[in-house]
Structure formats: structure tokens, C-alpha cells
């Protein structure tokens, strides 16, 4: 897995992955972190979208918990860690169209609002919303593994 972070110029934050990449086993639960720091002099709110590349790998990438599509408000100078938990379906190795993929990139972009994200074209490319882990029980695949939040 490779991790990427972007911040829309209208949001005065520094946003970056806590790690550039990680090795992981297919089917294994994994956790990664992103860090956001406000450079504003007043509280600011942002909201993130994400995408997975190569796009053909997207259906095999499953987020269990993340911060995307949920507003985040940071105080002046505040820095926060934002976790994401996920797994990659082992079926990716059996699909002739994806079995040669060795690296999947997870990319997040923070915007001031979803309207800003839509104007930038980010919503059309974004992956699905999974919500906060405290909001609802996870949806489970046929093997009982959490796959997404309703």
C-alpha cells in the first residue's frame, strides 16, 4: 500500500500520511494514520474525499473505518492523527485484470466543504463513504469480516 495526501489550496492545513507505504498481506486487517495540522488563526473545518488507484483495484479495497466525508474542525495550531482501518480482498490475486497489481495507492484530499470537492471533480472519483465506527454496526461480508459502515 502507498499513501498520499493532498490539501485543497482553500484550506489552511498541512495534511500528510503518517507513513509513505506499508507491506501487507491480502485479507489481513491493516491500520494507517494521516496527520492534519491547522495553520489558521481561527477554527477551521475541512472534509476529505478519497480514491484508490489503480481504479480497477477499488472493488477489492475495503475500508472498515475512516475519517473521510466527515467534517473535521481543528483549532488554531491543532494537530490530529486520523486513523484508517482497511483490508484488501485476496480475490484481487485471482482476477486476471488485477492479479499483477503489486501496489495500491490510497489518496485523500481535504477540502473546506463538499461543494469545493464537487467543484474540483473529486466527488466523481471518490470512493464510497463508510462512516464513523461509532455511528453504526459494520456491514459484514459472507465470512463475517467488517467491510463498510452503513
Amino acid at each position: 500500500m502507498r499513501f498520499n495526501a493532498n490539501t485543497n489550496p482553500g484550506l489552511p492545513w498541512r495534511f500528510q500520511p503518517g507513513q509513505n507505504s506499508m507491506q501487507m498481506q491480502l485479507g489481513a486487517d491493516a491500520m494507517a494514520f494521516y496527520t492534519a495540522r491547522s495553520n489558521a488563526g481561527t477554527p477551521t473545518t475541512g472534509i476529505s474525499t478519497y480514491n484508490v488507484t489503480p481504479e480497477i483495484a477499488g472493488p477489492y479495497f475495503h475500508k472498515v473505518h475512516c475519517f473521510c466525508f466527515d467534517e473535521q474542525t481543528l483549532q488554531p495550531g491543532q494537530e490530529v492523527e486520523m486513523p484508517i482501518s482497511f483490508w484488501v480482498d485476496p480475490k484481487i490475486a485471482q482476477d486476471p485484470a488485477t492479479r499483477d497489481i503489486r501496489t495500491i495507492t490510497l489518496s485523500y484530499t481535504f477540502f473546506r466543504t463538499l461543494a469545493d470537492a464537487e467543484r474540483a471533480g473529486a466527488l466523481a472519483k471518490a470512493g464510497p463513504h463508510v462512516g464513523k465506527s461509532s455511528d453504526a454496526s459494520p456491514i459484514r461480508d459472507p465470512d463475517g469480516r467488517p467491510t463498510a459502515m452503513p
Side-chain angles (χ1 to χ4, degrees), residues 2 5-6 16 32 34-35 40 46 51-52 54 61 78 93 101 109 113 117 127 136 142 146:
R2 232 178 47 79
N6 300 288
Q16 61 191 30
Y34 283 77
T35 303
N51 65 54
V52 174
F61 179 83
Q78 182 181 9
I101 293 174
T109 302
T113 66

Side-chain angles (χ1 to χ4, degrees), residues 1-4 51-54 103-107:
M1 284 297 300
R2 232 178 47 79
F3 301 94
N4 184 47
N51 65 54
V52 174
T53 55
T103 302
I104 295 173
T105 301
L106 176 60
S107 182

